[in-house]
Amino acid sequence: MPGASNGTPRRSDARANRARILQVAAVELTRCADAPLSAIARKAGVGQGTFYRNFPHREALVLEVYRHEMRQVADAAQTLLATREPEQALREWMDRLARFALTKAGLADAIRLVASTPGAPAKPGPTPVMDAAGVLLRANEEAGTIRPGVTPDDFFLAVAGLWQIDPQENWQPRATRLLDLVMDGLRAGAPGR
């Protein structure tokens, strides 16, 4: 990973500091969209200088936390495919997607706050997660476990109900039921059925 300005690799302690800041920020921003940056730095065990070298402003921190969390969800697709049958990998990944969507509601609020600031950078798109869905869908199509021709766009339209579930309630049973229905729909017309 390049350094801040000269392209040299970051020292291991600098990488560890950055990782701790991101980990703490994900928790704190999920709890409270406008969590004070000073509290995040303190809980991460870094000084203000270290914090601001990594994240010069709130927007940079919030967007990097979002990117990091999205990357975690996306990366899970390959891990699951390496250890499970495609159909099981897809269904387990859907559960991870639901957990991300519903446990990170505060983070979504933080992103909305940042994105609504004049001159703020644009919210990163869901490309890694869309790509991960595509990989899982293709693996299932090749295995004959889902109907042919389902695109990542189709998939996300089908699971869009996740974002209608209230994350403050007991969301797991509703999300499980919704995702089971989506899986049933994906299986309908599968050549291997």
Side-chain angles (χ1 to χ4, degrees), residues 20-78:
R20 258 194 333 277
I21 293 167
L22 286 171
Q23 182 180 26
V24 169
V27 171
E28 294 303 312
L29 292 170
T30 296
R31 270 191 213 138
C32 176
D34 58 355
L37 299 183
S38 58
I40 293 171
R42 186 175 56 253
K43 288 181 180 182
V46 300
Q48 295 292 332
T50 297
F51 183 90
Y52 285 105
R53 256 190 315 280
N54 282 282
F55 304 102
H57 45 75
R58 176 177 288 278
E59 292 84 4
L61 174 65
V62 170
L63 294 176
E64 187 58 28
V65 167
Y66 177 76
R67 275 193 222 46
H68 177 74
E69 295 290 311
M70 292 284 280
R71 173 77 3 225
Q72 300 283 61
V73 173
D75 289 349
Q78 290 295 345

Side-chain angles (χ1 to χ4, degrees), residues 116-132:
S116 67
T117 318
K123 172 184 161 187
T127 302
V129 174
M130 292 286 277
D131 293 345

Side-chain angles (χ1 to χ4, degrees), residues 55-133:
F55 304 102
H57 45 75
R58 176 177 288 278
E59 292 84 4
L61 174 65
V62 170
L63 294 176
E64 187 58 28
V65 167
Y66 177 76
R67 275 193 222 46
H68 177 74
E69 295 290 311
M70 292 284 280
R71 173 77 3 225
Q72 300 283 61
V73 173
D75 289 349
Q78 290 295 345
T79 303
L80 289 167
L81 276 174
T83 59
R84 290 161 179 69
E85 293 298 319
E87 189 173 8
Q88 183 183 5
L90 175 60
R91 184 60 185 85
E92 286 186 34
W93 187 78
M94 291 164 69
D95 287 335
R96 288 180 190 219
L97 180 65
R99 250 189 328 278
F100 170 75
L102 293 158
T103 62
K104 302 294 180 184
L107 181 57
D109 291 340
I111 291 165
R112 277 191 286 280
L113 283 173
V114 164
S116 67
T117 318
K123 172 184 161 187
T127 302
V129 174
M130 292 286 277
D131 293 345

Side-chain angles (χ1 to χ4, degrees), residues 74 77-78 81 90 93 126-142 146 150-153 155-156:
Q78 290 295 345
L81 276 174
L90 175 60
W93 187 78
T127 302
V129 174
M130 292 286 277
D131 293 345
V135 166
L136 287 160
L137 292 168
R138 278 191 307 280
N140 276 275
E141 187 173 336
E142 290 169 8
I146 65 169
V150 178
T151 68
D153 285 335
F155 173 80
F156 279 99

